[in-house]
Amino acid sequence: MTARVFISATGNGLARAAQSAAGTFQVETLLAGVDVCCLAVDPLDGKRVYAGGNTAGVLRSDDQGKTWQSMGQVGYPVKAIAASPTQRNVVYAGVRPAMLFVSTDAGLTWSELHAFRRIPWRRLWFSPAEKPFRAYIQGIAPSPTDPQRIVAGVELGATVVSSDGGQSWTGHRPGSLRDCHSLAFHASNGAWVYEGGGSHGGAAFSQDGGLTWINAGPGLDRHYGWAVAADSGDPSIWYVSVSPGPGKAHGSQNAEAAIFRRDGAGWRKLSGGLPQPLAHMPYALLTDPGKAGVLYAGLSNGDLWCSLDYGEQWEQLPVSLGGIHRALVMLDVQAPTQTGRNP
């Protein structure tokens, strides 16, 4: 197994776990007291990671999370962040209230994509998740093949699409989830988009870049969806974590959660060594962009589990991050530095 670095938001800063070639982990805590709530790896730079938070603004690491620096601020709580997989140094930040910002210099300066404020029916958006109950962007998914295509999800409001780099937006796409919790394109296939959420069945997917959606809730035995991930080798194979409801999912040691895999045969609940049900919510599901069949699950208590066979059999990794407060990312320890791109 390739050695990895895992970085999680813990609710009180970050935890960074670096895996050696022998499989052992060294864990360190970083940014103590900083309220990081979202993380994103730059797909075009194996060492760059972005973080955002309610008061932290935007931070960036250029050394796989070892050190961090504050970047240009957007002036609002940052709830979602994503780096473009097609354009160097382009990064998006979603905030509360629901607005979207873009940086073209790796986070140094930011510009609002004002058209997001003109999305139809946004006056009805409302989030019960936290005070002051204003809706916010929870998911941002830039296309891996089309620099102009962005899909964004709001908690609680809509899932919307831009085909011109954010200069205009559709209204809510039928079949997608209005209560978005996670949103992701396939790593290399720009047609497939996946969503986990707290409404209308808990999961949905698109096969045309987010324009039309299929509600994937039928077949799941619980419908409060959270994390999604897709296999790198086959976009029709994807995963979602689900719980009976928000009280269970975000409670203490009683999530009654499960991880499901979807393929051509529909949904299948995964066990193979995983506790049944999971007492701690899988807030993160991560697949390996370089190897089909590999899936990692990060639980709210900081435990990490790994499967090498599409979720059939699982092994708990010998590490605890102390907590995963909604966000977890993974990097390859050996990823080379691409020079000449730091602004």
Side-chain angles (χ1 to χ4, degrees), residues 86-335:
T86 59
Q87 302 177 90
R88 299 184 188 277
N89 298 326
V90 172
V91 59
Y92 301 93
V95 305
R96 185 185 67 217
M99 298 183 291
L100 186 62
F101 289 78
V102 63
S103 171
T104 58
D105 53 14
L108 290 178
T109 60
W110 295 87
S111 300
E112 184 184 352
L113 294 171
H114 292 280
F116 203 87
R117 297 199 195 196
R118 299 193 292 272
I119 292 173
W121 303 105
R122 69 170 281 141
R123 68 183 184 277
L124 301 179
W125 298 354
F126 168 84
S127 175
E130 58 186 55
K131 295 180 179 179
F133 307 120
R134 301 185 73 179
Y136 51 85
I137 295 178
Q138 176 74 3
I140 308 168
S143 168
T145 57
D146 181 357
Q148 299 300 307
R149 178 63 57 95
I150 311 165
V151 184
V154 176
E155 183 174 335
L156 172 66
T159 298
V160 296
V161 180
S162 175
S163 299
D164 55 12
Q167 300 308 304
S168 65
W169 294 85
T170 68
H172 175 69
R173 306 313 300 161
S176 65
L177 308 181
R178 288 192 180 274
D179 186 14
C180 176
H181 292 152
S182 61
L183 193 62
F185 267 94
H186 185 266
S188 60
N189 188 318
W192 286 76
V193 197
Y194 317 88
E195 184 176 27
S199 60
H200 304 295
F205 69 103
S206 171
Q207 295 172 275
D208 60 4
L211 294 178
T212 62
W213 289 78
I214 298 170
N215 188 292
L220 298 174
D221 65 357
R222 58 209 81 183
H223 296 99
Y224 186 79
W226 197 269
V228 290
D231 184 68
S232 60
D234 185 346
S236 70
I237 299 174
W238 59 288
Y239 309 87
V240 67
S241 62
V242 286
S243 179
K248 291 287 187 181
H250 309 313
S252 177
Q253 303 185 30
N254 192 30
E256 296 183 13
I259 301 171
F260 280 77
R261 183 187 71 221
R262 184 181 176 91
D263 53 28
W267 288 112
R268 177 175 175 177
K269 187 188 299 183
L270 303 178
S271 53
L274 282 176
Q276 299 293 310
L278 287 160
H280 303 281
M281 188 66 189
Y283 280 132
L285 298 176
L286 305 172
T287 51
D288 190 324
K291 188 173 182 181
V294 177
L295 176 65
Y296 295 90
L299 309 188
S300 60
N301 68 339
D303 288 349
L304 292 175
W305 291 75
C306 177
S307 172
L308 303 179
D309 56 3
Y310 301 92
E312 292 295 319
Q313 299 296 322
W314 291 83
E315 177 184 0
Q316 185 174 357
L317 299 183
V319 63
S320 175
L321 292 164
I324 297 174
H325 192 66
R326 313 293 198 272
L328 173 75
V329 295
M330 177 182 69
L331 306 96
D332 184 344
V333 172
Q334 305 301 324

Side-chain angles (χ1 to χ4, degrees), residues 31 51 58-62 67-73 108 342:
L31 304 179
V58 177
L59 303 101
R60 193 183 84 201
S61 171
D62 293 322
T67 61
W68 293 83
Q69 58 181 317
S70 293
M71 306 308 293
Q73 301 305 299
L108 290 178
N342 289 350

